[in-house]
Amino acid sequence: MFHFPPAPRSAIDRCMSTEKTTPLERIRNFSIIAHIDHGKSTLADRLIQHCGGLTTREMKEQVLDNMELERERGITIKAQTVHLDYTAQNGEKYALNLIDTPGHVDFAYEVNRSLAACEGSLLVVDASQGVEAQTLANVYHALDVDHEIVPVLNKIDLPAAEPEQVRQQIEDVIGLDASEAVEISAKTGIGIEDVLEAIVTRLPAPEGNVDKPLKAMLVDSWYDPYLGVVVLVRVIDGTLKKGQKVKLMSSGSTHLIDRVGIFRPKQDMTGVLHAGEIGFFTAAIKEVADTRVGDTVTDEKTPCVEALPGFQPAQPVVFCGLFPADSADFEDLREAVGRLRLNDASFTYEMETSAALGFGFRCGFLGLLHLEIIRERLEREFDIDLVTTAPSVIYRLHLTDGSVEELHNPADMPDPVKIDHMEEPWIKATILVPDEYLGAVLKLCEDRRGRQKELTYAGSRAMAVYELPLNEVVFDFYDRLKSISRGYASFDYALTDYEQGDLVRMSILVNAESVDALSMVVHRDRAESRGRALCERLKDLIPRHMFKIPIQAALGGKVIARETIGALRKDVTAKCYGGDVTRKRKLLDKQKAGKKKMRQFGKVDIPQDAFIAALRMDGD
């Protein structure tokens, strides 16, 4: 999602730039991969600064993170690309195409498609913290696409830095030769020249043929309100130029290209892209959905023989309902999710209704951080107050008639009599944690129905590999893990398969009425503890009414937990001074009958903030 203004260029410059080509052997396409906070974006800043991509006045910290949320949280959400010109120590001029990737597990799909556009990677490891869970995951992604990897030890200026130990850790845990790892400090600029020399000497040049028909891989696309869809491509063979009519092979749609350029990181209209280069084009495309990531772009008249293999589309793993706090804002929410979908093809939604919350949308996300980012963007960028229902995963229902259905929303679960058995998704989780917190982490995994697969040591830290059910992870696993390890544990996961489980739908009844927004699918063994915790929380959150309110957690017709909110009472005997006790009894019985009738017909108003607080997951 780029919002850099186009750099001013004269007509003569533009004409010259179409003639100028960089030989394939002088191009280097590479990405920066690392765990969160190990310094990817800061290294990208220094490389841009060193190569003169931006002036000192234009530079700012994390210059490629241009979304407000990215800058505020200090994380990369969207992969960004930039073209740099570098003159090596031997005097040769090189064109470097850098892709800065996110580090968080929820944005692994961004990393995958970025790596597919490159031939090499810089593996950044914090010299004071060493190899973390996401470091491992990203290295394996890079090795899957046959990348040449250059290890870079960052933050060597810190007093706690231990470069020699971290070198050994890279060799022991990952299996990469780290004897020639480049030692740098991205913050102060130490060793940046060495990184650039390593890029041009140790990373391979791209392969391709300018004379073949155009074949380009669609790496990313985002919506610009002025230009329509901006498409980021890596040209494999041939040439892509302004005025050319191209065809997207998966959809068969054709488009006339009106702008072609590169990011320096400002937009620079070169008018042409040759084999081996990474750049962008616009062609008055109106919907991001029309440009599928991984698609092959080719010339309409002389198409390439076969399409590129492409990527698997991003599969949502976590679902939840988003409802406006004020039902009058529904149309605003509909417009907001539609516009957000333009810039994030991995976010899916469909309309749903709830008796408690009114009209809203059932949305699919790649993980809890993705959910949090989308929700925060909706609230900030579109000024909508939202109510979020409990996150759930996709369950597979094997019905008695032999059919298989997917269940996204627990409220839609059919009658248990019709269900033969249910399957839930499981993940393989890798947790790296200092030795002193290992016991607490193992207990947390065991409590969440985890199965230990591996336990090894990397220096003073333990690496635990567990199989866990995803629905136990999406609630508050990550927060609990950070809490019990004082923030030192790192966590990465990958979906493995579906397994049969003893799963039931737990309904929450308030005054004998089911609240569908609070219903959830849980394992039978954990239903009682989770139901009791939710009832206790609701008892504190729902205000008292003029009648008693029972709050119950039920599995089908069986109540497994209950709390009661006492009624507000008026002292009806205050006017009785002395006299027979039957006078007071008569008034109290009359009040009791009124309360009973009121409870029968009365409506319980659950405030929106009570929903939000109740759904902030059980802090068991």
Side-chain angles (χ1 to χ4, degrees), residues 163-460:
E164 289 311 313
Q165 284 190 21
V166 174
R167 275 177 205 271
Q168 193 60 44
Q169 207 179 62
I170 291 172
E171 293 185 1
D172 294 345
V173 179
I174 303 174
L176 282 177
D177 177 17
S179 58
E180 293 184 31
V182 186
E183 294 188 12
I184 67 160
S185 166
K187 194 170 186 179
T188 59
I190 299 167
I192 297 302
E193 182 72 32
D194 297 338
V195 174
L196 288 162
E197 281 300 309
I199 290 166
V200 298
T201 55
R202 292 163 62 181
L203 295 184
E207 295 176 0
N209 190 334
V210 183
D211 301 322
K212 281 188 176 180
L214 171 66
K215 182 195 277 187
M217 178 168 62
L218 200 156
V219 181
D220 198 3
S221 59
W222 60 93
Y223 187 78
D224 184 289
Y226 302 105
L227 305 171
V229 177
V230 180
V231 180
L232 185 70
V233 288
R234 156 71 199 275
V235 183
I236 310 293
D237 292 318
T239 306
L240 180 83
K241 52 183 180 284
K242 182 179 175 180
Q244 187 175 7
K245 202 159 189 183
V246 294
K247 177 181 175 183
L248 301 179
M249 291 184 81
S250 72
S251 62
S253 59
T254 58
H255 305 278
L256 184 68
I257 294 179
D258 52 29
R259 287 157 57 100
V260 176
I262 54 176
F263 292 104
R264 288 182 178 274
K266 292 180 177 177
Q267 288 184 10
D268 183 1
M269 299 305 147
T270 58
V272 66
L273 289 173
H274 299 286
E277 294 184 329
I278 296 175
F280 70 91
F281 72 84
T282 62
I285 304 169
K286 292 182 176 61
E287 289 279 338
V288 169
D290 297 342
T291 53
R292 279 186 47 212
V293 169
D295 200 353
T296 306
V297 182
T298 189
D299 190 82
E300 187 197 23
K301 289 179 182 169
T302 53
C304 58
V305 181
E306 59 180 23
L308 295 160
F311 307 128
Q312 289 293 324
Q315 291 294 329
V317 293
V318 177
F319 284 80
C320 83
L322 293 180
F323 294 85
D326 181 354
S327 54
D329 293 337
F330 174 71
E331 285 304 323
D332 295 341
L333 178 61
R334 186 206 293 272
E335 186 186 341
V337 292
R339 285 171 62 185
L340 209 53
R341 175 82 171 82
L342 289 175
N343 278 329
D344 190 347
S346 59
F347 163 58
T348 61
Y349 68 93
E350 59 182 35
M351 198 175 140
E352 74 166 355
T353 57
S354 157
L357 300 169
F359 289 102
F361 293 95
R362 189 84 191 157
C363 304
F365 308 92
L366 299 173
L368 282 187
L369 180 70
H370 191 209
L371 185 160
E372 209 176 309
I373 295 292
I374 293 286
R375 191 184 67 198
E376 209 160 320
R377 285 185 68 187
L378 285 169
E379 288 180 342
R380 280 189 189 193
E381 296 174 22
F382 303 98
D383 197 26
I384 300 170
D385 283 335
L386 290 173
V387 175
T388 313
T389 64
S392 74
V393 297
I394 304 174
Y395 298 95
R396 282 188 192 150
L397 306 179
H398 291 259
L399 305 180
T400 48
D401 63 3
S403 61
V404 180
E405 285 183 7
E406 285 193 342
L407 178 71
H408 294 198
N409 187 350
D412 298 334
M413 193 163 163
D415 191 324
V417 179
K418 296 180 182 175
I419 301 171
D420 181 54
H421 65 273
M422 284 177 72
E423 292 181 338
E424 61 181 334
W426 280 65
I427 61 167
K428 181 183 174 186
T430 306
I431 301 166
L432 276 101
V433 63
D435 198 24
E436 61 263 38
Y437 306 115
L438 180 62
V441 169
L442 296 183
K443 184 178 183 305
L444 174 68
C445 293
E446 295 295 336
D447 288 347
R448 298 303 171 96
R449 300 191 281 131
R451 301 192 295 247
Q452 190 181 117
K453 303 305 287 180
E454 208 178 303
L455 183 59
T456 53
Y457 277 84
S460 63

Side-chain angles (χ1 to χ4, degrees), residues 51-116:
C51 295
L54 291 171
T55 63
T56 310
R57 187 174 61 82
E58 291 170 320
M59 275 305 294
K60 58 184 177 183
E61 283 188 20
Q62 277 87 42
V63 69
L64 293 180
D65 292 346
N66 46 37
M67 201 188 293
E68 185 189 341
L69 262 174
E70 289 181 314
R71 305 192 67 77
E72 191 176 293
R73 285 172 174 250
I75 59 172
T76 303
I77 295 168
K78 291 288 286 181
Q80 308 283 25
T81 183
V82 62
H83 175 100
L84 304 170
D85 294 317
Y86 172 63
T87 304
Q89 289 172 359
N90 61 8
E92 300 278 10
K93 286 184 164 38
Y94 286 87
L96 311 180
N97 292 306
L98 144 72
I99 299 183
D100 178 26
T101 61
H104 200 281
V105 60
D106 281 17
F107 305 113
Y109 74 102
E110 290 275 347
V111 179
N112 286 343
R113 65 197 193 191
S114 303
L115 294 178

